[in-house]
Amino acid sequence: MIDNPVLLEERYGARNYAPLPMVLARAEGVYVWDTEGRRYLDMLGAYSAVSYGHCHPRLVAALVAQAGRMDVVSRAFRSDNLGAFLARACEMTGMDRALPMNSGTEAVETALKAARKWGHAVKGIADNSAEIIVCENNFHGRSIAITGFSSVSQYRAGFGPFPAGFACVPFGDAGALENMITPNTAAFLVEPIQGEGGVVVPPDGYLSDCAEICRANNVLLMCDEIQTGLGRTGRLLAAEHDGVRPDGLMLGKALGGGLLPVSLFLARADVMEVFTPGDHGSTFGGNPLAAVVGLEALDVLVEEGLIDRAAELGVYLRDRLSTLNSPAIVEVRGRGLLAGIELDPGRARAEEVCRVMAERGVLTKDTHRNTVRFAPPLTVERGQIDDAVGALAGALQELV
Ligand SMILES: Cc1ncc(COP(=O)(O)O)c(C=O)c1O
């Protein structure tokens, strides 16, 4: 009988991931340990899901207490903590209403459905004609609809046919958005910073220009802040850097405190009110465990001052990265504690760099544009940032 976890996963798992070889067994704060007891600094933070550090005691306590009191009951019935979670999320973000789901993908699907129904029922677009504009190089998840409007060919190849009703414009070009809008456009879906796409930061003022164009054309501005939201960029929402309040907002990842999949689609009242009972839902969305962890996560974010911390340490991280003078570095991008280091593919492959960094005790994952991404827990300290930058420098020296 096989009892090696790697062999078991290789034998019984689908091959849709290609993880690094170590097997993780324990996590605390900004560190994880493998089955051999070796410690690693986690600079990926589960793609921004572990903003509070691994196994944050307050979040674990909230989850355990709730698990011993009441588990999943479904939305067929009311539960006693969902309202408080939704209220806190709305108050903090300035949105009117929130619809709980689980994964980020589901929150985006919810936004797409809301936008289409709003387009038909409120804006007056003819039935089945509503269009949504998205950006090139986007990443919003992996459902059929979402991959259908991805510009990454691997995400689409073999998975069609895809739903119609999406148009694509270059990211960072507000004029292109304006030109693409037609009377059938219901919404514009955008990431304030493209995380998976390579930590691509648009020009200053891009989002506020888009907001103005959307307002002038009665088009909903839908911001996917699943990766950039909840303090990651040094503001509660990345849209705040441009002084923008979107009409619809998607949150996920860090909302689950690193413990559970918890996501929300939040929106203006007239957008959310298109949903009537039976239109949309999820067995697990807004379950008592998710609600209690989500509420505690929002409170921890504020009470531990993690948003300001991300702003301050983000400056430190970028300062440190700018001292690296490797010829392999093309550009350092990012905001707050979301950073991307783009490498020259002729000199170093980001995937290789991440492998060597792991050997040096620092975990992260490459992303598109041959970019090494840092998205550590917002609780990371200066000395740990120094360690991560040191491991990157060492890896570049070894490989270039
Ligand atoms: C901006 C953005 N939207 C949506 C998603 C999808 O979230 P999930 O993987 O939880 O479905 C991601 C995941 O990386 C993301 O970065």
Side-chain angles (χ1 to χ4, degrees):
M1 214 191 82
I2 313 173
D3 63 358
N4 175 308
V6 175
L7 296 179
L8 283 169
E9 206 179 305
E10 287 295 313
R11 162 65 184 80
Y12 291 104
R15 303 227 166 107
N16 58 329
Y17 278 92
L20 290 174
M22 76 287 289
V23 179
L24 302 180
R26 190 161 78 79
E28 190 185 323
V30 295
Y31 292 108
V32 293
W33 285 260
D34 68 13
T35 45
E36 314 285 301
R38 180 154 187 229
R39 190 181 81 167
Y40 302 85
L41 173 60
D42 183 2
M43 286 300 284
L44 180 63
Y47 302 102
S48 293
V50 183
S51 285
Y52 320 92
H54 289 280
C55 302
H56 190 292
R58 255 180 82 176
L59 298 172
V60 171
L63 174 62
V64 169
Q66 182 59 43
R69 190 167 72 83
M70 182 168 78
D71 50 6
V72 177
V73 290
S74 95
R75 296 286 307 277
F77 314 103
R78 293 191 195 275
S79 56
D80 62 359
N81 55 23
L82 178 59
F85 170 46
L86 302 181
R88 181 81 90 258
C90 287
E91 281 160 17
M92 282 175 69
T93 57
M95 296 284 124
D96 293 324
R97 291 179 179 272
L99 194 159
M101 298 297 280
N102 311 284
S103 67
T105 301
E106 291 169 298
V108 176
E109 284 282 343
T110 305
L112 299 177
K113 288 174 76 173
R116 283 184 169 187
K117 196 164 180 199
W118 177 88
H120 297 132
V122 179
K123 183 166 175 175
I125 299 170
D127 240 9
N128 293 317
S129 308
E131 284 170 6
I132 295 171
I133 300 176
V134 300
C135 289
E136 280 168 18
N137 197 44
N138 68 69
F139 186 84
H140 298 287
R142 300 285 202 160
S143 67
I144 290 279
I146 293 170
T147 45
F149 57 72
S150 171
S151 46
V152 178
S153 55
Q154 188 198 354
Y155 296 170
R156 297 165 53 90
F159 297 120
F162 300 110
F166 298 97
C168 198
V169 292
F171 180 64
D173 181 349
L177 168 67
E178 192 162 26
N179 292 336
M180 188 60 86
I181 290 174
T182 73
N184 284 347
T185 307
F188 173 51
L189 172 66
V190 64
E191 299 155 87
I193 294 174
Q194 292 186 324
E196 296 303 304
V199 191
V200 183
V201 183
D204 280 348
Y206 169 62
L207 209 60
S208 51
D209 290 348
C210 291
E212 210 174 297
I213 292 164
C214 285
R215 204 172 313 115
N217 290 279
N218 196 21
V219 165
L220 302 174
L221 175 67
M222 301 282 214
C223 286
D224 179 348
E225 296 241 20
I226 288 164
Q227 186 154 163
T228 55
L230 300 179
R232 172 59 51 191
T233 69
R235 294 286 182 91
L236 177 69
L237 302 176
E240 289 173 19
H241 291 287
D242 265 16
V244 164
R245 182 186 297 181
D247 307 304
L249 170 69
M250 287 130 269
L251 295 176
K253 295 194 190 276
L255 193 57
L259 300 177
L260 295 173
V262 182
S263 66
L264 285 176
F265 169 60
L266 304 106
R268 239 169 47 193
D270 66 312
V271 178
M272 197 66 91
E273 281 161 11
V274 301
F275 287 125
T276 59
D279 272 3
H280 187 59
S282 157
T283 301
F284 288 96
N287 74 72
L289 302 167
V292 92
V293 168
L295 178 58
E296 197 73 1
L298 292 173
D299 287 348
V300 167
L301 187 70
V302 173
E303 286 166 30
E304 296 194 358
L306 296 179
I307 304 174
D308 289 343
R309 193 184 166 83
E312 186 192 319
L313 290 180
V315 171
Y316 182 72
L317 171 60
R318 255 177 310 286
D319 277 358
R320 289 306 321 275
L321 287 170
S322 68
T323 64
L324 298 179
N325 53 8
S326 167
I329 297 179
V330 175
E331 193 181 19
V332 175
R333 297 183 289 266
R335 232 172 203 161
L337 283 172
L338 178 63
I341 303 100
E342 182 172 340
L343 304 176
D344 175 352
R347 293 181 187 265
R349 284 180 46 239
E351 191 186 342
E352 268 297 277
V353 171
C354 292
R355 190 185 55 72
V356 175
M357 285 180 70
E359 286 166 12
R360 291 168 174 264
V362 175
L363 296 186
T364 191
K365 173 89 177 83
D366 59 296
T367 188
H368 293 281
R369 291 199 178 195
N370 202 38
T371 296
V372 174
R373 169 178 32 191
F374 284 163
L378 308 184
T379 52
V380 71
E381 291 177 2
R382 281 169 195 253
Q384 292 155 345
I385 289 176
D386 294 343
D387 292 345
V389 174
L392 173 61
L396 289 174
Q397 221 154 40
E398 188 177 322
L399 292 168
V400 178

